[in-house]
Amino acid sequence: MRYVKLPQENFEEFFNSLKNWGKVYAPVKKGNIYSFQHVEKPSEIAFDYTRTMLPPKKFFVRPKDEMLRLKGGKWEEIDGVEPVVLFGVHSCDIHGLEILDKVYLNEPVDPYYKKRRENSIIIGMSCMPDEYCFCKSLGTDFAMHGFDLFLHELPDGWLVRVGSVKGHEIAWENEELFEELTEEDMRNFREFEEKRANSFKKHLNKEGLEDMLDLAFNSPVWKKYEKICLGCGNCNMVCPTCRCYEVCDLWMNAYEAVRVRRYDSCFMETHGLVAGGHNFRPTRLDRFRHRYYCKSYFDPSAGFNCVGCGRCDEFCPAKIEHVKVLDEVREGLQ
Amino acid sequence: MTFQTHDARILEVKELTSREKLFTLRFVDPELNRSFKYKPGQFVIVDIRGFGEFPISLCSTPTREGYFQLCVRRVGRMTKYMHKLKEGDIVGIRGPYGNGFPMEKMEGSTLVLVAGGLGMAPLRSVLWYALDTGKYEKIYLFYGTKAYEDILFRDEVIHLLKHGEDMNCHVKLAYEVESPSCIYLEKGYSPRVCKGVVTDLFRGETFDVENTYALICGPPVMYKYVIKELLDRKLSPGRIYMTLERRMRCGVGKCGHCIVGTSTSIKYVCKDGPVFTYWDALSTRGLI
Ligand SMILES: Cc1cc2nc3c(=O)[nH]c(=O)nc-3n(C[C@H](O)[C@H](O)[C@H](O)COP(=O)(O)OP(=O)(O)OC[C@H]3O[C@@H](n4cnc5c(N)ncnc54)[C@H](O)[C@@H]3O)c2cc1C
Ligand code: SF4
Ligand code: SF4
Ligand code: FES
């Protein structure tokens, strides 16, 4: 890894240079929430944002996405991927993207996802946790890869980690904007990280989590939450690792149709429904539990299916807390 | 591309029952036709362009080249469109998907095929494969059906009831609704044809557990009961194969619909299956 310093006075020029690499999207404050939006100048960016409502997955797996277009009885691939620069992605979301990569880039490769991933630049940005974050417990609070550049806040600028070939190219092009790091910068960086590590209010006990949950299949805690949960599926939509999709064909006119996929949620009754009306997860209980099992599954090569971003808590209308549910299930076993 | 489907022409449509039709298809591209290889137990995604896609098991055998067959039950929107198609029409096909049955591993063994209703479709592929290759010690087919009119591939089943023994193929049939045709069959082939459910066909049967594999396909409720019969006869869980259904969209492990299991073991029915052993069911909750 290469480490350099970007002094604050050079930030604007650096930011403007990013436009050479693609359309720049960054967190923007809209009402009470943040979202990744197209930005033209640094003043639009909410540098102190906590989390966006939709994670960066929306650029790669879109909420509603045209896959194929039917013309003359034949499906045509829909082209036209534009290069994007995602500025200000937090570490948990970078981990989230890597989990999606495991799914979509594994054989057979998802062509849409791959093309968009290849045409994107990820610029990470350091953050301070709020009351919902628990990424530290999951080891997703620091990204070692999955980004091109990562910007860590310093009192007078940014400590930049260069994480990929593309990152090197960007740094190379902007060589005159960067400086070597001083001892003081390193000290500031360490101090920031220490302060951050101590600011987490929420901790997930992940010790033996998978086995614990498996044993607790009939826990009364699921039944308690089944009654509280509204089954709205918000938690799925906002989760950086949830990726279920539904497909349907839509007619544009008498001769043209499109095949569209859109986010689906395992909280929907139709998720496990098959022909003849048989449902493999017929009750809210089945569906609520399923989500926790899916999120807490541990893949040896990708970790848990949860990165601790806290979105599902913040955007749950029933105020259900992910960590609390898991803790209660664990307590119920003891 | 992963989600592109390939033109296949319908060569023949045959009405099997009032709900099921058998479609014989061939790829329009002769090269693709030659290179299309599949295993019994695999499935394809059928694409009725502009209307949607749905998964269907291959019910023909790869031993007979140049065409493939799909047995489609009319149950809803997509399958209704499919049933309207005629000889000469084109549909899109992608696949084959899934793992299929381990036919090579089972060579030299006795196969017990247990089919319930539409479960006959994927097992017909196994049956024909086994008969065509002649590489299996003995073949049993236990087939549970509602009524005479619902027997899928009735001609073939009755033919095997009559002549199967010569090919070491023992067919047994259980029906639930009485009718003159059933009674006629029962008279001719008792006790191999009887009134009851598919598990009734196990009565009096024992298997050489060292050399037998069971292959099951049927409605979700059937598995538990059939597996019990097999375990009672000391068949090891590793010799019990079953092919499962789930809602499927992508067929290749992306869309998440077919995920089963819990935090310790998650499986995609589309790519880890649809064929699983009973060991898998013991270690992955929700599989059956
Ligand atoms: C591996 C596999 C093999 C199958 N093999 C056969 C076969 O050989 N013969 C046969 O007749 N049927 C088979 N099926 C079931 C067949 O896929 C469904 O009957 C069909 O998708 C129903 O679609 P529909 O629109 O007519 O039904 P509807 O009831 O109208 O379905 C409503 C919606 O749910 C979807 N849906 C319903 N059931 C399923 C399902 N199981 N998988 C995916 N989507 C579903 C439909 O596409 C539709 O959009 C198989 C299913 C699987 C998973
Ligand atoms: S489960 Fe909740 S906390 Fe975990 S990654 Fe998804 S939205 Fe974030
Ligand atoms: S967001 Fe909350 S209420 Fe809605 S489905 Fe998820 S857990 Fe239930
Ligand atoms: S069918 Fe899409 S993941 Fe299995």
Side-chain angles (χ1 to χ4, degrees), chain A residues 225 228-236 265 267 284 288 291-292 312 315-320:
Chain A
Y225 279 103
I228 303 172
C229 169
L230 307 169
C232 64
N234 265 13
C235 47
N236 296 126
S265 149
F267 273 98
R284 176 87 43 90
F288 187 87
R291 174 165 170 278
Y292 280 84
C312 53
F315 299 105
C316 172
K319 305 240 176 306
I320 293 173

Side-chain angles (χ1 to χ4, degrees), chain A residues 2-7 9 152-160 178-191:
Chain A
R2 188 181 169 212
Y3 305 87
V4 285
K5 180 174 181 180
L6 175 65
E9 59 269 25
H152 295 269
E153 204 179 330
L154 294 174
D156 55 348
W158 305 85
L159 183 151
V160 183
F178 296 113
E179 290 172 1
E180 291 305 314
L181 288 170
T182 63
E183 279 298 319
E184 197 193 340
D185 295 329
M186 290 306 291
R187 202 168 48 242
N188 283 326
F189 170 62
R190 274 198 301 272
E191 257 170 40

Side-chain angles (χ1 to χ4, degrees), chain A residues 74 109 214 243 246 259 273, chain B residues 2 7 47 249 254 264:
Chain A
K74 287 241 176 290
V109 170
D214 205 3
R243 51 172 182 80
E246 187 53 60
R259 178 157 291 163
L273 188 71
Chain B
T2 312
D7 286 358
D47 170 18
R249 275 294 170 245
K254 314 285 181 209
T264 50

Side-chain angles (χ1 to χ4, degrees), chain A residues 134 235 238-241 291 295 305-312 322:
Chain A
F134 59 100
C235 47
V238 302
C239 179
T241 69
R291 174 165 170 278
K295 295 290 108 181
N305 269 331
C306 167
V307 295
C309 70
R311 283 187 179 85
C312 53
H322 196 88

Side-chain angles (χ1 to χ4, degrees), chain A residues 234-271:
Chain A
N234 265 13
C235 47
N236 296 126
M237 300 299 125
V238 302
C239 179
T241 69
C242 270
R243 51 172 182 80
C244 281
Y245 68 76
E246 187 53 60
V247 190
C248 67
D249 290 2
L250 301 172
W251 287 95
M252 316 283 288
N253 54 51
Y255 306 99
E256 277 181 71
V258 283
R259 178 157 291 163
V260 179
R261 62 182 179 194
R262 57 176 170 74
Y263 289 180
D264 197 1
S265 149
C266 56
F267 273 98
M268 300 300 117
E269 220 175 311
T270 50
H271 193 269

